[in-house]
Amino acid sequence: MTKNFNWNAVAFFLDLTARNKFAREHNFAFCRVSGLEGFEEALTHLQSDTAFVCVSDISQGYTELNNTPHTRRVKTVFLAMRHAIDDMTARDRCMETMRELFRQFMSKLILEQTKLQEHSIYLDPRISFQEIDRYFFSGCACAYFQIAVDTYTDLRFNPEEWQS
């Protein structure tokens, strides 16, 4: 049977956050969350850290049963920066910073895309970037982007996986 490959988005963005000069200059800390509800880990660090790259360790998706069976997983990456409450100028600066970090992450993701295709892993070329309104967390500018990843899925029937 052919091995099914997967892409570890958490490890990828942990590495990007650690190695990106812009992220380091703006003190972005990395953390893993489990969806939007799992933001507690990041919130507990708001006193010591002011900017975050949070990758969700869960995903949504589906398996497609066609001539080229594959599984699609959608991974979410949250960006957040703390600013003075009710200071819209500071919030705008945070948003500009997060937009630039997103751009730099995408420049690296383009290179990663070629490597992934060697293992039949395909990134959807449309990566959405959403800014969250100012009421999400008081004094915190937030945005997120989602990456859809398609991986080959070996769906050939294997009788050894079943009891007779």
Side-chain angles (χ1 to χ4, degrees):
M1 288 288 176
T2 304
K3 181 179 182 346
N4 294 319
F5 290 96
N6 289 302
W7 180 58
N8 187 336
V10 173
F12 179 76
F13 284 102
L14 170 64
D15 182 62
L16 286 189
T17 304
R19 295 188 314 116
N20 180 266
K21 292 177 183 178
F22 188 80
R24 292 173 60 119
E25 175 185 320
H26 289 87
N27 300 314
F28 276 89
F30 179 87
C31 64
R32 176 187 297 212
V33 297
S34 292
L36 198 52
E37 293 78 27
F39 244 85
E40 292 86 13
E41 178 185 341
L43 292 176
T44 61
H45 295 227
L46 272 177
Q47 296 304 319
S48 59
D49 295 316
T50 58
F52 300 93
V53 173
C54 303
V55 178
S56 182
D57 58 6
I58 60 172
S59 61
Q60 297 178 348
Y62 58 85
T63 298
E64 193 161 314
L65 308 174
N66 60 23
N67 291 340
T68 55
H70 64 277
T71 299
R72 173 163 279 208
R73 295 281 180 248
V74 179
K75 299 303 289 184
T76 303
V77 179
F78 300 95
L79 304 176
M81 290 187 77
R82 194 174 64 188
H83 60 80
I85 295 175
D86 295 328
D87 185 344
M88 292 307 286
T89 302
R91 182 182 183 281
D92 289 342
R93 282 193 307 270
C94 290
M95 284 298 191
E96 282 301 320
T97 300
M98 291 186 298
R99 289 178 194 125
E100 177 57 20
L101 184 61
F102 171 73
R103 186 199 68 76
Q104 290 187 24
F105 279 6
M106 293 304 102
S107 72
K108 189 71 172 167
L109 196 60
I110 287 174
L111 300 175
E112 180 76 359
Q113 181 178 17
T114 304
K115 294 177 194 172
L116 292 173
Q117 288 175 355
E118 294 173 5
H119 298 287
S120 298
I121 299 174
Y122 301 95
L123 301 179
D124 188 320
R126 284 177 251 124
I127 298 173
S128 65
F129 182 83
Q130 304 290 321
E131 295 176 1
I132 301 173
D133 68 28
R134 68 185 182 125
Y135 301 110
F136 181 63
F137 289 123
S138 185
C140 198
C142 300
Y144 68 94
F145 57 95
Q146 294 181 304
I147 301 170
V149 181
D150 292 322
T151 58
Y152 166 76
T153 305
D154 187 352
L155 293 178
R156 291 177 289 174
F157 177 76
N158 180 353
E160 295 176 11
E161 297 174 340
W162 300 90
Q163 291 181 355
S164 50

